[in-house]
Amino acid sequence: MSNKKTSINDIAKHLNVAKSTVSFIINGKAEAHRISKKQEQRVLAYIKEIGYKPNYIAKSLATGKTNSIGLIVENIGDSFFGPIALMIEERAKKSGYRIIYSSTRNNTDDAVSVLQLFKDTHVDGFIIAPPVQMEEAITEVIHDKVPVVIFDRMLEGMDTDYVGTNNREVVEEACEHLLEQKFKNIAFISLTSPQSQMRERLEGYLQAMRKKEQTPTVLQMPYDSDRESYTSEIIHFLQTNPAIDAVFFATNYLCISGLEAIREMGKKIPDDIGIIAFDEHDLFRLFSPSITAIVQPLEQLSTAIIKILLDRIDKGSIAPHRHITIPSTFVIRESSVKKS
Amino acid sequence: MSNKKTSINDIAKHLNVAKSTVSFIINGKAEAHRISKKQEQRVLAYIKEIGYKPNYIAKSLATGKTNSIGLIVENIGDSFFGPIALMIEERAKKSGYRIIYSSTRNNTDDAVSVLQLFKDTHVDGFIIAPPVQMEEAITEVIHDKVPVVIFDRMLEGMDTDYVGTNNREVVEEACEHLLEQKFKNIAFISLTSPQSQMRERLEGYLQAMRKKEQTPTVLQMPYDSDRESYTSEIIHFLQTNPAIDAVFFATNYLCISGLEAIREMGKKIPDDIGIIAFDEHDLFRLFSPSITAIVQPLEQLSTAIIKILLDRIDKGSIAPHRHITIPSTFVIRESSVKKS
DNA sequence: CTGAAAGCGCTTACAG
DNA sequence: CTGAAAGCGCTTACAG
């Protein structure tokens, strides 16, 4: 019943064997230590009988391993990070790892302090979608030989494993599609973020504009704002730039605010204004008109992230750090295709 | 630099004081143990100088506390549990707790084994949205004096803390609204789930039908299915029940499948068919027509959940278990209001 | 093949 | 006011 009390010591005493013998048997090292089958059976039977559960804390203290991974993301409640968190946890579980998470909302101080906390609790590895200026804190972690996989946004000049998508290329492709559809004045609405993924998306847009000698028009808004503010700022932006006839939104929630803005302004999609969003959302499939979007391969990203990390943790891989880029899919729907 | 190495022992030796003295000072118990201010300053200064970090594993082994909470939900990537997880984590963090999560996808075996695992790693408490038949496993946990808060769905006949919403009442209210709008044949589309929240929603619907002497029509589909299957099953259901002129969807993702179904069938909302969803979604605000929905108070639910749990963990509250019901808001939009 | 013992880094009665 | 010591429950060289 109350299995909390029984320890290896109790078992050893009760069975008149040494603690080490019990420990070896429990950990499947009986053979390696040439413990007799009989002894092993006896111990195993007793363990089963009393329903013995090892104390993982003690084990962690002795081995230095906690079988836990720290997951630090922007927002676990969001439609990009949430599904990623789900898949990562399900894969980690299969390998015997638990996930401890924290949402940073892109606040560097919060991220650094939670990184410290997780490190002090001896997680075996980290998966991080870092806010800006985390380089130093992460370097320290790596210096202490704790494996780290960075994803979604890269930290320049840092030698870590990284998994992300081809932001620049796919945005360029999307913008070229708008140009082919004869949209003349394409705006880019994003965040005032120096993060790599945001910079790359902007570059993709600028590159497409440059190629066709179009003048870029960019709106960048602060990250820590709310939906209403985004919406009203977008309305203001579109009113003061009436020539704009298409918008690329650099995140899905900006696009959602954009759709509200466009609805309030009474504009028609795609006749008055063409729309493309980065990242998928249920809304985009079902909206009418449906919204053209860049869809990240969540499954593949998650699989790559956890695989790289577990290779380092379990197999102690010391292979050179990898930068893995998994291409996104550009899904053309109605919002970016002129009817005429 | 390498703070991993320095232990309380090292500090004690270096400063020529007892380990216990250092420990007391670190834990702010200097005064209680009447340690001289001078000594305290000396130790504190040295700790700061070398950047000492306590080993939380050792601390946990000694105290039996891990400062971690196990969060077991249906799906952390979903638009109900994701935001809840975000808010719970942010509140827990403020009180010094880490959250370890796992998604069950409503699979009882998985849920039981992760419950065991988390318990073996000595989490200080649990927050659980349980699949069916978890009573026994949860009872065991409670029996071992680990605090548990159940949310979203109740386990009948169990004496635990519970936080949820007024499913029955608010669904009844929503269905009455449909009847007032002169919808004649209201169907209820849900999951074949014996979980309390699903039963309550069904009861709310049946109650409303009974009051007005309407014949209920119910479609229940398996939980572990995918969007496409839901959509095609809903199409089939609506085709074989052509009299239906309104549908109440018991979850938001069923409603999303329902909207796809309705679009494929070419029906108009709300003229051909009225729609109400349980749980909010970005899509529902922005869809045209906008979708009437029952909105759960996520903030309040999260706050209540974590507060109850921390009261038990930190303050050791042994107050009788509470069942807290926080009412949802019925938000009427276009999809349930007849135009004529 | 098996056992005695040290160690992981803390906490906390207990004694003085 | 402070120190020596046992204990939390494991693991793992080491010795026989």
Side-chain angles (χ1 to χ4, degrees), chain A residues 8 19-20 23 27 29 52 55 59:
Chain A
I8 277 196
K19 270 166 61 174
S20 44
S23 172
N27 293 299
K29 296 182 185 163
Y52 166 77
N55 180 327
K59 193 167 184 168

Side-chain angles (χ1 to χ4, degrees), chain A residues 101-115:
Chain A
Y101 71 91
S102 187
S103 300
T104 66
R105 297 195 190 243
N106 268 345
N107 181 307
T108 304
D109 291 345
D110 289 354
V112 169
S113 75
V114 82
L115 183 75

Side-chain angles (χ1 to χ4, degrees), chain B residues 2 32 35 41 64 109 121 136 143 208-209 244 273 277 285 305:
Chain B
S2 93
I35 290 165
Q41 290 313 323
D109 291 345
T121 60
E136 195 183 335
H143 187 259
M209 296 301 105
I244 290 170
I273 191 159
R285 284 185 299 109
I305 290 166

